[in-house]
Amino acid sequence: MADSQTLIEFDPDSLTLGEMEDIEEASGLGFMELVEQFDSQKLTVQSLKAVTWILLRRDNPDLTLDGVRDLTIGELAKIGGSAGPLDEPQTSGQPD
């Protein structure tokens, strides 16, 4: 997954047509409906999962939509329209 310094930013203008299509398929919404949800900060979990998947998939091409389900709300707290760190969950009791 992303390292602890990865910045996630949802900028609809940076998306490819393929990414927009994938977001529509994964969220069940038209792309502009999803952008309106994002702008109003009233995302459904399914929409949040779709956007997160597309953005993280850029650096992690093997990431699946189901793989995003393991992320916590704390890890996603900074995605809501502005850039921020996405911390990788610790896999051991000791920090690296």
Side-chain angles (χ1 to χ4, degrees):
M1 191 69 56
D3 67 34
S4 63
Q5 298 303 311
T6 298
L7 295 180
I8 303 291
E9 185 173 348
F10 180 61
D11 177 8
D13 293 333
S14 74
L15 297 172
T16 66
L17 290 174
E19 288 173 330
M20 288 187 273
E21 183 179 39
D22 289 345
I23 287 172
E24 284 187 344
E25 289 178 14
S27 69
L29 295 173
F31 185 73
M32 291 311 297
E33 291 174 280
L34 184 127
V35 170
E36 289 170 10
Q37 274 190 11
F38 210 94
D39 287 343
S40 69
Q41 297 184 354
K42 295 182 180 179
L43 281 171
T44 65
V45 173
Q46 188 170 355
S47 296
L48 179 61
K49 182 175 74 170
V51 169
T52 301
W53 171 54
I54 294 301
L55 296 177
L56 294 179
R57 187 178 74 175
R58 289 173 172 177
D59 292 328
N60 302 285
D62 295 330
L63 181 65
T64 64
L65 187 58
D66 280 338
V68 174
R69 295 177 62 144
D70 293 331
L71 296 173
T72 67
I73 291 296
E75 292 168 321
L76 302 177
K78 300 294 182 178
I79 290 181
S82 61
L86 178 67
D87 293 327
E88 184 72 19
Q90 295 293 323
T91 56
S92 70
Q94 300 283 345
D96 291 321

